[in-house]
Amino acid sequence: VQLQASGGGLVQVGGSLRLSCVVPRGTFSRQTIGWFRQTPGKEREFVAVIRGSSGGGRTYYSDAVKGRFTISRDNAENTVYLQMNSLRPEDTAVYYCAGDFSIMTSEIRVPRSYEYWGQGTQVTVSS
């Protein structure tokens, strides 16, 4: 299962970006899709996740982005979006989307719990 992440770029502090993660049609509704980010020398960090149909489409966020980022699913486009508002310099990172068909709620914030990963997309927030 190949995920395709895109939408990164350079933005000023306080600006917005929307990341996209295209999921193969036919698997989309069943997968939990998460967004993670990573900076050099640091471990991959949980950002947000949206459950698949079996999980009721519930969303979860890290404390660092809650209230600023919104994760959503577009079933017609088999795409998961991460709308990022009020961006800060500390949001600068490579962002990855990840998917899995069977993941427990207790594991959704753990990168190694996900089987499928997209390529990263760079987000740079300049001050």
Side-chain angles (χ1 to χ4, degrees), residues 35-59:
W35 284 97
F36 294 80
R37 64 189 183 186
Q38 190 169 24
T39 54
K42 291 192 176 181
E43 301 216 346
R44 201 162 288 190
E45 174 191 19
F46 168 75
V47 175
V49 65
I50 187 164
R51 295 293 240 159
S53 54
S54 62
R58 293 183 184 90
T59 59

PDB file of all heavy atoms in Angstrom, residues 35-59:
ATOM      1  N   TRP A  35      -0.603  11.468  10.760  1.00  0.00           N
ATOM      2  CA  TRP A  35       0.467  12.361  10.339  1.00  0.00           C
ATOM      3  C   TRP A  35       1.511  12.423  11.452  1.00  0.00           C
ATOM      4  O   TRP A  35       1.155  12.566  12.629  1.00  0.00           O
ATOM      5  CB  TRP A  35      -0.053  13.767  10.054  1.00  0.00           C
ATOM      6  CG  TRP A  35      -0.793  13.898   8.763  1.00  0.00           C
ATOM      7  CD1 TRP A  35      -2.133  13.862   8.579  1.00  0.00           C
ATOM      8  CD2 TRP A  35      -0.210  14.103   7.463  1.00  0.00           C
ATOM      9  NE1 TRP A  35      -2.436  14.016   7.248  1.00  0.00           N
ATOM     10  CE2 TRP A  35      -1.284  14.170   6.550  1.00  0.00           C
ATOM     11  CE3 TRP A  35       1.093  14.226   6.992  1.00  0.00           C
ATOM     12  CZ2 TRP A  35      -1.078  14.360   5.174  1.00  0.00           C
ATOM     13  CZ3 TRP A  35       1.295  14.416   5.640  1.00  0.00           C
ATOM     14  CH2 TRP A  35       0.219  14.490   4.744  1.00  0.00           C
ATOM     15  N   PHE A  36       2.758  12.342  11.035  1.00  0.00           N
ATOM     16  CA  PHE A  36       3.889  12.448  11.940  1.00  0.00           C
ATOM     17  C   PHE A  36       4.861  13.468  11.370  1.00  0.00           C
ATOM     18  O   PHE A  36       4.797  13.793  10.183  1.00  0.00           O
ATOM     19  CB  PHE A  36       4.582  11.089  12.097  1.00  0.00           C
ATOM     20  CG  PHE A  36       3.736  10.063  12.785  1.00  0.00           C
ATOM     21  CD1 PHE A  36       2.759   9.367  12.097  1.00  0.00           C
ATOM     22  CD2 PHE A  36       3.910   9.782  14.130  1.00  0.00           C
ATOM     23  CE1 PHE A  36       1.952   8.425  12.723  1.00  0.00           C
ATOM     24  CE2 PHE A  36       3.126   8.844  14.776  1.00  0.00           C
ATOM     25  CZ  PHE A  36       2.148   8.169  14.068  1.00  0.00           C
ATOM     26  N   ARG A  37       5.753  13.954  12.195  1.00  0.00           N
ATOM     27  CA  ARG A  37       6.769  14.884  11.704  1.00  0.00           C
ATOM     28  C   ARG A  37       8.102  14.569  12.361  1.00  0.00           C
ATOM     29  O   ARG A  37       8.157  13.991  13.459  1.00  0.00           O
ATOM     30  CB  ARG A  37       6.363  16.331  11.954  1.00  0.00           C
ATOM     31  CG  ARG A  37       6.238  16.724  13.417  1.00  0.00           C
ATOM     32  CD  ARG A  37       5.619  18.122  13.536  1.00  0.00           C
ATOM     33  NE  ARG A  37       5.534  18.573  14.910  1.00  0.00           N
ATOM     34  CZ  ARG A  37       4.929  19.698  15.290  1.00  0.00           C
ATOM     35  NH1 ARG A  37       4.340  20.489  14.385  1.00  0.00           N
ATOM     36  NH2 ARG A  37       4.907  20.038  16.565  1.00  0.00           N
ATOM     37  N   GLN A  38       9.153  14.987  11.666  1.00  0.00           N
ATOM     38  CA  GLN A  38      10.495  14.679  12.154  1.00  0.00           C
ATOM     39  C   GLN A  38      11.459  15.788  11.775  1.00  0.00           C
ATOM     40  O   GLN A  38      11.435  16.297  10.644  1.00  0.00           O
ATOM     41  CB  GLN A  38      10.976  13.339  11.572  1.00  0.00           C
ATOM     42  CG  GLN A  38      12.234  12.801  12.194  1.00  0.00           C
ATOM     43  CD  GLN A  38      12.506  11.378  11.772  1.00  0.00           C
ATOM     44  OE1 GLN A  38      12.049  10.908  10.724  1.00  0.00           O
ATOM     45  NE2 GLN A  38      13.265  10.651  12.591  1.00  0.00           N
ATOM     46  N   THR A  39      12.302  16.151  12.728  1.00  0.00           N
ATOM     47  CA  THR A  39      13.384  17.100  12.485  1.00  0.00           C
ATOM     48  C   THR A  39      14.704  16.365  12.670  1.00  0.00           C
ATOM     49  O   THR A  39      14.752  15.319  13.350  1.00  0.00           O
ATOM     50  CB  THR A  39      13.299  18.294  13.442  1.00  0.00           C
ATOM     51  OG1 THR A  39      13.246  17.821  14.797  1.00  0.00           O
ATOM     52  CG2 THR A  39      12.060  19.135  13.157  1.00  0.00           C
ATOM     53  N   PRO A  40      15.779  16.888  12.092  1.00  0.00           N
ATOM     54  CA  PRO A  40      17.076  16.192  12.163  1.00  0.00           C
ATOM     55  C   PRO A  40      17.495  15.914  13.601  1.00  0.00           C
ATOM     56  O   PRO A  40      17.432  16.798  14.468  1.00  0.00           O
ATOM     57  CB  PRO A  40      18.035  17.171  11.480  1.00  0.00           C
ATOM     58  CG  PRO A  40      17.176  17.924  10.530  1.00  0.00           C
ATOM     59  CD  PRO A  40      15.860  18.083  11.232  1.00  0.00           C
ATOM     60  N   GLY A  41      17.902  14.692  13.837  1.00  0.00           N
ATOM     61  CA  GLY A  41      18.405  14.315  15.144  1.00  0.00           C
ATOM     62  C   GLY A  41      17.337  13.981  16.166  1.00  0.00           C
ATOM     63  O   GLY A  41      17.654  13.633  17.305  1.00  0.00           O
ATOM     64  N   LYS A  42      16.071  14.088  15.748  1.00  0.00           N
ATOM     65  CA  LYS A  42      14.978  13.796  16.690  1.00  0.00           C
ATOM     66  C   LYS A  42      14.149  12.626  16.198  1.00  0.00           C
ATOM     67  O   LYS A  42      14.137  12.302  15.008  1.00  0.00           O
ATOM     68  CB  LYS A  42      14.094  15.035  16.862  1.00  0.00           C
ATOM     69  CG  LYS A  42      14.768  16.177  17.593  1.00  0.00           C
ATOM     70  CD  LYS A  42      13.766  17.238  17.982  1.00  0.00           C
ATOM     71  CE  LYS A  42      14.410  18.346  18.802  1.00  0.00           C
ATOM     72  NZ  LYS A  42      13.440  19.377  19.214  1.00  0.00           N
ATOM     73  N   GLU A  43      13.421  12.038  17.115  1.00  0.00           N
ATOM     74  CA  GLU A  43      12.549  10.935  16.752  1.00  0.00           C
ATOM     75  C   GLU A  43      11.297  11.475  16.054  1.00  0.00           C
ATOM     76  O   GLU A  43      10.926  12.627  16.215  1.00  0.00           O
ATOM     77  CB  GLU A  43      12.152  10.151  18.010  1.00  0.00           C
ATOM     78  CG  GLU A  43      13.340   9.598  18.763  1.00  0.00           C
ATOM     79  CD  GLU A  43      13.048   8.250  19.376  1.00  0.00           C
ATOM     80  OE1 GLU A  43      11.874   7.865  19.456  1.00  0.00           O
ATOM     81  OE2 GLU A  43      14.006   7.583  19.784  1.00  0.00           O
ATOM     82  N   ARG A  44      10.678  10.581  15.290  1.00  0.00           N
ATOM     83  CA  ARG A  44       9.448  10.951  14.603  1.00  0.00           C
ATOM     84  C   ARG A  44       8.363  11.206  15.650  1.00  0.00           C
ATOM     85  O   ARG A  44       8.176  10.418  16.573  1.00  0.00           O
ATOM     86  CB  ARG A  44       9.055   9.839  13.639  1.00  0.00           C
ATOM     87  CG  ARG A  44       8.133  10.267  12.541  1.00  0.00           C
ATOM     88  CD  ARG A  44       8.149   9.264  11.401  1.00  0.00           C
ATOM     89  NE  ARG A  44       9.400   9.325  10.647  1.00  0.00           N
ATOM     90  CZ  ARG A  44       9.591   8.688   9.496  1.00  0.00           C
ATOM     91  NH1 ARG A  44       8.616   7.956   8.974  1.00  0.00           N
ATOM     92  NH2 ARG A  44      10.743   8.788   8.877  1.00  0.00           N
ATOM     93  N   GLU A  45       7.638  12.302  15.460  1.00  0.00           N
ATOM     94  CA  GLU A  45       6.691  12.786  16.463  1.00  0.00           C
ATOM     95  C   GLU A  45       5.259  12.704  15.933  1.00  0.00           C
ATOM     96  O   GLU A  45       4.988  13.117  14.786  1.00  0.00           O
ATOM     97  CB  GLU A  45       7.037  14.243  16.802  1.00  0.00           C
ATOM     98  CG  GLU A  45       6.078  14.949  17.716  1.00  0.00           C
ATOM     99  CD  GLU A  45       6.333  16.450  17.779  1.00  0.00           C
ATOM    100  OE1 GLU A  45       6.998  16.987  16.878  1.00  0.00           O
ATOM    101  OE2 GLU A  45       5.843  17.084  18.734  1.00  0.00           O
ATOM    102  N   PHE A  46       4.358  12.229  16.757  1.00  0.00           N
ATOM    103  CA  PHE A  46       2.942  12.168  16.401  1.00  0.00           C
ATOM    104  C   PHE A  46       2.360  13.566  16.280  1.00  0.00           C
ATOM    105  O   PHE A  46       2.639  14.442  17.105  1.00  0.00           O
ATOM    106  CB  PHE A  46       2.177  11.378  17.456  1.00  0.00           C
ATOM    107  CG  PHE A  46       0.687  11.492  17.354  1.00  0.00           C
ATOM    108  CD1 PHE A  46       0.003  10.821  16.361  1.00  0.00           C
ATOM    109  CD2 PHE A  46      -0.026  12.274  18.243  1.00  0.00           C
ATOM    110  CE1 PHE A  46      -1.371  10.924  16.251  1.00  0.00           C
ATOM    111  CE2 PHE A  46      -1.407  12.386  18.158  1.00  0.00           C
ATOM    112  CZ  PHE A  46      -2.072  11.704  17.156  1.00  0.00           C
ATOM    113  N   VAL A  47       1.525  13.768  15.233  1.00  0.00           N
ATOM    114  CA  VAL A  47       0.855  15.055  15.029  1.00  0.00           C
ATOM    115  C   VAL A  47      -0.658  14.894  15.150  1.00  0.00           C
ATOM    116  O   VAL A  47      -1.300  15.549  15.971  1.00  0.00           O
ATOM    117  CB  VAL A  47       1.217  15.642  13.652  1.00  0.00           C
ATOM    118  CG1 VAL A  47       0.428  16.929  13.396  1.00  0.00           C
ATOM    119  CG2 VAL A  47       2.719  15.897  13.547  1.00  0.00           C
ATOM    120  N   ALA A  48      -1.223  14.035  14.320  1.00  0.00           N
ATOM    121  CA  ALA A  48      -2.682  13.867  14.309  1.00  0.00           C
ATOM    122  C   ALA A  48      -3.013  12.546  13.637  1.00  0.00           C
ATOM    123  O   ALA A  48      -2.205  12.006  12.873  1.00  0.00           O
ATOM    124  CB  ALA A  48      -3.361  15.016  13.568  1.00  0.00           C
ATOM    125  N   VAL A  49      -4.216  12.046  13.920  1.00  0.00           N
ATOM    126  CA  VAL A  49      -4.646  10.792  13.308  1.00  0.00           C
ATOM    127  C   VAL A  49      -6.157  10.824  13.136  1.00  0.00           C
ATOM    128  O   VAL A  49      -6.875  11.463  13.911  1.00  0.00           O
ATOM    129  CB  VAL A  49      -4.215   9.580  14.156  1.00  0.00           C
ATOM    130  CG1 VAL A  49      -4.905   9.583  15.504  1.00  0.00           C
ATOM    131  CG2 VAL A  49      -4.470   8.274  13.425  1.00  0.00           C
ATOM    132  N   ILE A  50      -6.626  10.126  12.096  1.00  0.00           N
ATOM    133  CA  ILE A  50      -8.054   9.966  11.878  1.00  0.00           C
ATOM    134  C   ILE A  50      -8.331   8.492  11.652  1.00  0.00           C
ATOM    135  O   ILE A  50      -7.659   7.818  10.859  1.00  0.00           O
ATOM    136  CB  ILE A  50      -8.560  10.844  10.710  1.00  0.00           C
ATOM    137  CG1 ILE A  50     -10.079  10.795  10.615  1.00  0.00           C
ATOM    138  CG2 ILE A  50      -7.892  10.480   9.391  1.00  0.00           C
ATOM    139  CD1 ILE A  50     -10.668  11.906   9.755  1.00  0.00           C
ATOM    140  N   ARG A  51      -9.300   7.980  12.375  1.00  0.00           N
ATOM    141  CA  ARG A  51      -9.624   6.567  12.292  1.00  0.00           C
ATOM    142  C   ARG A  51     -10.393   6.261  11.021  1.00  0.00           C
ATOM    143  O   ARG A  51     -11.030   7.127  10.426  1.00  0.00           O
ATOM    144  CB  ARG A  51     -10.462   6.164  13.514  1.00  0.00           C
ATOM    145  CG  ARG A  51      -9.717   6.286  14.821  1.00  0.00           C
ATOM    146  CD  ARG A  51      -8.587   5.283  14.876  1.00  0.00           C
ATOM    147  NE  ARG A  51      -8.714   4.361  15.971  1.00  0.00           N
ATOM    148  CZ  ARG A  51      -8.108   3.170  16.007  1.00  0.00           C
ATOM    149  NH1 ARG A  51      -7.380   2.777  15.006  1.00  0.00           N
ATOM    150  NH2 ARG A  51      -8.258   2.390  17.042  1.00  0.00           N
ATOM    151  N   GLY A  52     -10.355   4.997  10.636  1.00  0.00           N
ATOM    152  CA  GLY A  52     -11.139   4.544   9.512  1.00  0.00           C
ATOM    153  C   GLY A  52     -12.579   4.283   9.901  1.00  0.00           C
ATOM    154  O   GLY A  52     -13.026   4.652  10.996  1.00  0.00           O
ATOM    155  N   SER A  53     -13.285   3.604   9.023  1.00  0.00           N
ATOM    156  CA  SER A  53     -14.718   3.402   9.240  1.00  0.00           C
ATOM    157  C   SER A  53     -15.010   2.617  10.513  1.00  0.00           C
ATOM    158  O   SER A  53     -15.968   2.906  11.225  1.00  0.00           O
ATOM    159  CB  SER A  53     -15.330   2.679   8.032  1.00  0.00           C
ATOM    160  OG  SER A  53     -14.612   1.485   7.759  1.00  0.00           O
ATOM    161  N   SER A  54     -14.166   1.654  10.825  1.00  0.00           N
ATOM    162  CA  SER A  54     -14.413   0.842  12.029  1.00  0.00           C
ATOM    163  C   SER A  54     -14.190   1.645  13.294  1.00  0.00           C
ATOM    164  O   SER A  54     -14.705   1.292  14.355  1.00  0.00           O
ATOM    165  CB  SER A  54     -13.523  -0.396  12.030  1.00  0.00           C
ATOM    166  OG  SER A  54     -12.164  -0.024  12.069  1.00  0.00           O
ATOM    167  N   GLY A  55     -13.424   2.721  13.185  1.00  0.00           N
ATOM    168  CA  GLY A  55     -13.155   3.567  14.343  1.00  0.00           C
ATOM    169  C   GLY A  55     -14.008   4.810  14.386  1.00  0.00           C
ATOM    170  O   GLY A  55     -13.738   5.729  15.174  1.00  0.00           O
ATOM    171  N   GLY A  56     -14.995   4.862  13.516  1.00  0.00           N
ATOM    172  CA  GLY A  56     -15.924   5.985  13.538  1.00  0.00           C
ATOM    173  C   GLY A  56     -15.357   7.298  13.049  1.00  0.00           C
ATOM    174  O   GLY A  56     -15.963   8.352  13.260  1.00  0.00           O
ATOM    175  N   GLY A  57     -14.201   7.260  12.405  1.00  0.00           N
ATOM    176  CA  GLY A  57     -13.621   8.507  11.906  1.00  0.00           C
ATOM    177  C   GLY A  57     -13.153   9.449  12.999  1.00  0.00           C
ATOM    178  O   GLY A  57     -12.991  10.649  12.769  1.00  0.00           O
ATOM    179  N   ARG A  58     -12.931   8.912  14.180  1.00  0.00           N
ATOM    180  CA  ARG A  58     -12.500   9.772  15.293  1.00  0.00           C
ATOM    181  C   ARG A  58     -11.127  10.375  15.009  1.00  0.00           C
ATOM    182  O   ARG A  58     -10.305   9.781  14.336  1.00  0.00           O
ATOM    183  CB  ARG A  58     -12.453   8.970  16.594  1.00  0.00           C
ATOM    184  CG  ARG A  58     -13.820   8.523  17.079  1.00  0.00           C
ATOM    185  CD  ARG A  58     -13.729   7.798  18.416  1.00  0.00           C
ATOM    186  NE  ARG A  58     -15.022   7.290  18.838  1.00  0.00           N
ATOM    187  CZ  ARG A  58     -15.469   6.086  18.528  1.00  0.00           C
ATOM    188  NH1 ARG A  58     -14.734   5.277  17.782  1.00  0.00           N
ATOM    189  NH2 ARG A  58     -16.648   5.692  18.955  1.00  0.00           N
ATOM    190  N   THR A  59     -10.911  11.546  15.551  1.00  0.00           N
ATOM    191  CA  THR A  59      -9.644  12.245  15.363  1.00  0.00           C
ATOM    192  C   THR A  59      -8.945  12.455  16.701  1.00  0.00           C
ATOM    193  O   THR A  59      -9.590  12.598  17.749  1.00  0.00           O
ATOM    194  CB  THR A  59      -9.858  13.601  14.684  1.00  0.00           C
ATOM    195  OG1 THR A  59     -10.731  14.402  15.487  1.00  0.00           O
ATOM    196  CG2 THR A  59     -10.473  13.433  13.305  1.00  0.00           C
TER     197      THR A  59
END
